[in-house]
């Protein structure tokens, strides 16, 4: 959640947004973790960068906590699943 809130500090040219909701959900498998982040705002702009940053920071946090056990972890397949609102309108993967 903190990663999503700090997107404007972390990603060049991203402007700060007043977030109304951020969730980060985890699904753990035997050898993998799937993370989904949702970000919402009332601002008239997209908020996908906040959700994507939230996912990446969560993944890096898990890597940092587990690197003593296995440095061969791979962070992969991070992508936008869905987006609504903003200039570009609706998007679904």
């Amino acid at each position: 959640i903190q990663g999503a809130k700090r997107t404007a500090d972390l990603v060049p040219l991203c402007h700060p947004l007043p977030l109304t909701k951020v969730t980060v959900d985890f699904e753990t498998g035997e050898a993998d973790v799937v993370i989904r982040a949702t970000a919402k705002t009332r601002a008239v702009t997209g908020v996908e960068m906040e959700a994507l940053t939230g996912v990446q920071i969560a993944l890096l946090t898990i890597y940092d906590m587990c690197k003593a056990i296995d440095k061969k972890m791979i962070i992969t397949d991070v992508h936008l699943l869905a987006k609504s609102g903003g200039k570009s309108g609706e998007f679904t993967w």
Side-chain angles (χ1 to χ4, degrees):
I1 291 172
Q2 190 63 25
K5 290 182 174 185
R6 300 290 303 269
T7 299
D9 297 329
L10 298 168
V11 180
L13 303 179
C14 276
H15 53 284
L17 295 178
L19 298 174
T20 57
K21 182 177 183 179
V22 176
T23 62
V24 180
D25 300 303
F26 300 81
E27 290 177 28
T28 57
E30 195 168 309
D32 66 343
V33 177
V34 175
I35 301 175
R36 287 187 180 85
T38 301
K40 294 185 179 187
T41 185
R42 290 191 184 107
V44 185
T45 186
V47 70
E48 69 273 17
M49 290 304 298
E50 284 70 14
L52 288 166
T53 302
V55 167
Q56 292 286 46
I57 296 300
L59 288 165
L60 289 169
T61 301
I62 291 169
Y63 184 92
D64 187 45
M65 292 188 302
C66 297
K67 66 186 176 194
I69 297 166
D70 182 6
K71 288 183 178 45
K72 292 183 181 178
M73 293 175 286
I74 299 171
I75 296 173
T76 185
D77 297 332
V78 176
H79 60 90
L80 184 64
L81 290 174
K83 175 187 174 301
S84 62
K87 254 187 198 178
S88 60
E90 304 288 322
F91 169 83
T92 304
W93 180 265

